[in-house]
Amino acid sequence: MTRHYSALSLLREGLNGQRGWQPAWQDADPKPRYDAIVIGGGGHGLATAYYLAKNHGITNVALIERGWIGGGNTGRNTTIIRSNYFFPETAAFFEFALKLYEDLSRELNYNIMFSQRGMWMLGHDRHGMEMLRRSANAMRLNGIDAELHNEAGVRAEIPGLNDSPRFPILGGLNQPRGGSARHDAVAWGYARAASALGVDIIQNCEVQGFLIEDGHVRGVETSRGTIRSECVGMAVAGHSTVVAEKAGVRLPISSYALQAFVSEPVKPCLDTVLLSPATGTYLSQSDKGELVIGAGLDLYLSYAQRGNLPWMERAAAGVIELFPAFSRMRFLRQWAGICDVVHDSTPIIGATDLGGFYVNCGWGTGGFKAIPAGGWCLAHAMATGASHPLASAFSLDRFRTGALIDEASASGIAH
Amino acid sequence: MLLITCPHCGPRAEIEFRCGGEGHIARPGPHDAVSDAEWADYLFYRTNPKGEHRERWLHSAGCGQWFNVARDTMTHQISAVYPMGETLPEASPAKEAAR
């Protein structure tokens, strides 16, 4: 039976009629009791389960997922990875995630197709350029790669940009180590690696309530029966308030839909990731050749994973403004994911008022790039009861003490 | 896309409006008697229901008036539109069908 992926195993299975492959992960039935339960089978939940087993030796873990692995936001994002933040706390955290991503294919023995094709942010006016210069300086002070280019530099690196745009292109900030990865592969790779270490991956299992005694969590009630554990972690993205409410924990989160689109596939024409705040454009080309286009958040609360037409039109207009040549392309698919938005656009990772109940939430529109670090830090909190140094500033308490880390203002995050 | 019935202008497309978030929020006071936790609740904590939500909307591209809306966050069905200062009774059926 073949578990390890390599050129040799490919060759062997090729000669053997591909009959020896094992399932990537075992679809488990719930046991009555575990050392730890992770709620949510997206990237952050799967990474948490994996690092609980790998970093802390806790392998008697249940990962429970309402739907199927990778069926939530992990399968609904635009797959961009970057660490261009402003404050030292967030910069260190997202840079740690990027570094874990750089080695993830090897570590998981699963090709996540991480491509460091660069991440560009364009400046369209004097103030935009001042912000980019400030960002570049902040990134360098935080030890993160950043390049500031003038218009000629941008046009030399990104062919096809509009020659006479309504919003002139004055320059751009590039993070060369930014890029994108295959989102499904990140989920599947973590699921496979966690399962191999003994984690039970339980799909189609919805959390319906919590067992609580003396202010401490004792387990969860699910659609597949009661599962007991003194340690429960939650990573359910847009549904964080809904699930936490069942445990009596209130979170400062509002849920909004963020939609994205892909075009029909075309030949390679864009070899980097591009963000233009002024035109509302967020664009890259997938390895299949589709243009992957992100739109803005809907302006009202939503749990409907479908987005709306005005934002779709606005995103298309922005793309055509930057790349007139794309005007004849068709949208192939459109979808939306639900984002958990907090006031300072910085995640919440760590303990809650309920003993033994830990959360990983508040990622807004940017959770994908943080998956390895989010899982790493939630696993640390669950295993040790203490906050990981990288996430100690991301406590739920900051909304009471006022120690907000306002990346919304500092690095111009759109949520 | 939402079709919102402005109480003053009638049914219009959502692009004419701006959503002002949760409605019926009262500022706590007197200010020196309010705990940090209460301030945090007032500033940062909002109801985030998967179901009916009471919110304020502004007809920014029309009459410029604020009004209250009861809307389902799953289906986006608007079950009531009612003026500022009024509270939709908890148990009453929707006052006005939006579409």
Side-chain angles (χ1 to χ4, degrees):
Chain A
M1 299 298 259
T2 303
R3 268 216 73 93
H4 189 78
Y5 299 154
S6 66
L8 188 64
S9 67
L10 272 179
L11 182 67
R12 192 170 59 230
E13 291 304 330
L15 296 170
N16 197 24
Q18 314 287 359
R19 284 189 299 268
W21 297 112
Q22 289 188 339
W25 66 84
Q26 303 298 325
D27 197 15
D29 290 319
K31 292 189 290 189
R33 174 172 285 280
Y34 288 91
D35 292 337
I37 295 173
V38 179
I39 305 170
H44 283 273
L46 291 162
T48 303
Y50 171 69
Y51 291 120
L52 273 173
K54 174 163 180 281
N55 291 357
H56 304 282
I58 302 174
T59 56
N60 184 26
V61 175
L63 180 128
I64 55 182
E65 162 59 40
R66 182 182 64 167
W68 65 95
I69 295 304
N73 279 3
T74 299
R76 289 175 173 270
N77 62 81
T78 49
T79 75
I80 308 307
I81 294 166
R82 58 185 170 86
S83 58
N84 52 351
Y85 283 78
F86 183 83
F87 289 112
E89 296 91 340
T90 11
F93 180 86
F94 285 100
E95 178 63 11
F96 182 70
L98 201 163
K99 284 183 174 149
L100 288 175
Y101 262 127
E102 285 177 330
D103 193 40
L104 204 57
S105 289
R106 189 201 58 75
E107 176 171 351
L108 301 179
N109 179 227
Y110 201 97
N111 184 7
I112 64 159
M113 297 163 72
F114 185 32
S115 150
Q116 293 179 292
R117 58 186 72 176
M119 158 86 201
W120 285 83
M121 205 185 297
L122 299 185
H124 297 273
D125 53 30
R126 205 187 88 197
H127 312 292
M129 287 309 296
E130 283 172 2
M131 275 298 282
L132 292 186
R133 187 168 293 115
R134 172 174 170 273
S135 286
N137 287 336
M139 287 169 69
R140 289 186 169 189
L141 284 171
N142 287 321
I144 295 168
D145 56 323
E147 299 172 350
L148 196 62
H149 294 261
N150 60 15
E151 178 178 7
V154 173
R155 291 185 180 279
E157 291 294 324
I158 309 173
L161 283 169
N162 194 345
D163 285 335
S164 55
R166 190 150 59 105
F167 301 98
I169 296 163
L170 301 184
L173 168 66
N174 182 26
Q175 181 182 13
R177 286 162 60 249
S180 85
R182 175 80 202 274
H183 50 350
D184 294 323
V186 173
W188 296 337
Y190 270 121
R192 176 171 173 272
S195 177
L197 290 172
V199 170
D200 274 359
I201 293 178
I202 303 160
Q203 301 178 86
N204 299 308
C205 181
E206 182 179 8
V207 171
Q208 294 168 335
F210 285 76
L211 302 175
I212 296 167
E213 286 169 14
D214 309 324
H216 198 287
V217 68
R218 306 291 178 195
V220 292
E221 300 280 3
T222 77
S223 55
R224 296 178 69 177
T226 302
I227 309 175
R228 291 184 183 275
S229 178
E230 312 288 307
C231 180
V232 178
M234 181 190 84
V236 299
H239 280 70
S240 296
T241 42
V242 176
V243 177
E245 203 171 48
K246 295 181 199 293
V249 172
R250 199 158 176 240
L251 296 173
I253 284 174
S254 299
S255 297
Y256 296 93
L258 177 71
Q259 63 183 330
F261 328 93
V262 293
S263 73
E264 56 192 328
V266 293
K267 286 183 178 177
C269 57
L270 180 66
D271 66 354
T272 189
V273 181
L274 195 64
L275 170 64
S276 158
T279 57
T281 304
Y282 200 159
L283 186 69
S284 64
Q285 189 176 22
S286 77
D287 294 338
K288 276 192 286 187
E290 301 156 331
L291 294 177
V292 183
I293 301 162
L297 283 171
D298 279 6
L299 299 175
Y300 39 84
L301 290 192
S302 176
Y303 287 91
Q305 292 173 313
R306 61 178 191 232
N308 69 25
L309 211 52
W311 279 112
M312 191 177 190
E313 189 178 5
R314 193 170 145 164
V319 169
I320 295 165
E321 156 71 10
L322 279 184
F323 294 98
F326 295 163
S327 66
R328 296 289 173 183
M329 291 176 69
R330 297 156 206 259
F331 280 148
L332 200 66
R333 296 192 303 278
Q334 176 267 5
W335 69 92
I338 305 304
C339 301
D340 46 350
V341 174
V342 293
H343 270 75
D344 59 354
S345 296
T346 295
I348 303 167
I349 307 173
T352 63
D353 289 340
L354 175 62
F357 182 59
Y358 301 88
V359 296
N360 162 328
C361 57
W363 298 100
T365 60
F368 178 72
K369 66 171 118 34
I371 283 172
W376 186 288
C377 291
L378 180 60
H380 182 97
M382 291 173 69
T384 66
S387 195
H388 190 281
L390 276 172
S392 58
F394 303 160
S395 72
L396 191 51
D397 203 40
R398 73 175 187 269
F399 295 96
R400 187 183 58 78
T401 62
L404 303 181
I405 305 169
D406 194 357
E407 285 291 350
S409 311
S411 56
I413 294 174
H415 61 258
Chain B
M1 182 150 86
L2 302 182
L3 183 67
I4 300 170
T5 306
C6 170
H8 312 284
C9 311
R12 302 294 176 90
E14 77 173 64
I15 53 169
E16 292 193 13
F17 297 87
R18 188 164 78 75
C19 183
E22 186 184 352
H24 309 299
I25 296 174
R27 180 189 167 106
H31 65 85
D32 49 358
V34 176
S35 70
D36 287 354
E38 281 173 279
W39 279 127
D41 195 78
Y42 169 65
L43 289 170
F44 302 122
Y45 286 75
R46 293 290 179 266
T47 65
N48 189 27
K50 192 173 181 177
E52 192 187 86
H53 186 236
R54 308 285 175 79
E55 55 201 18
R56 300 168 302 172
W57 283 78
L58 171 69
H59 194 184
S60 51
C63 60
Q65 298 286 309
W66 284 94
F67 55 93
N68 288 311
V69 168
R71 181 181 62 89
D72 190 299
T73 60
M74 265 299 281
T75 63
H76 291 179
Q77 186 73 42
I78 293 171
S79 55
V81 176
Y82 54 103
M84 295 307 285
E86 244 184 57
T87 305
L88 189 69
E90 206 61 48
S92 81
K95 286 185 174 176
E96 181 186 340
R99 53 187 114 186

